[in-house]
């Protein structure tokens, strides 16, 4: 199952908001980016998860 389909099934309101955001940007924003923006707009407590994996390699501390 594709990620976009799964997102529609699990949270259609966020998916609809993502389509609206993408339409406002006239397609300059990917659906994935629009969905993440819509998700943290509707659920600001999930901002930590949005940033997960998006840390600059120069600032990441290695545990080894």
């Amino acid at each position: 199952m594709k990620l976009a389909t799964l997102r529609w099934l699990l949270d259609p309101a966020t998916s609809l908001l993502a389509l609206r955001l993408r339409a406002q940007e006239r397609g300059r924003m990917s659906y994935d980016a629009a969905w993440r923006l819509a998700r943290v707009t509707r659920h600001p407590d999930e901002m930590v998860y949005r940033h997960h994996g998006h840390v600059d390699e120069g600032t990441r501390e290695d545990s080894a």
Side-chain angles (χ1 to χ4, degrees):
M1 181 180 292
K2 290 188 174 188
L3 182 59
T5 305
L6 184 62
R7 286 177 172 169
W8 269 101
L9 291 172
L10 295 176
D11 194 353
T14 297
S15 298
L16 187 59
L17 180 57
L19 287 178
R20 289 182 190 158
L21 289 171
R22 191 161 189 242
Q24 287 176 351
E25 292 292 321
R26 294 187 173 87
R28 293 183 301 240
M29 179 184 292
S30 71
Y31 176 74
D32 187 49
W35 194 91
R36 285 181 279 149
L37 179 60
R39 185 68 186 180
V40 297
T41 299
R42 294 187 68 237
H43 305 280
D45 56 316
E46 294 184 5
M47 181 64 78
V48 176
Y49 300 113
R50 180 175 182 233
H51 290 295
H52 180 73
H54 298 283
V55 178
D56 183 23
E57 291 296 324
T59 59
R60 185 178 291 174
E61 293 181 21
D62 292 326
S63 59

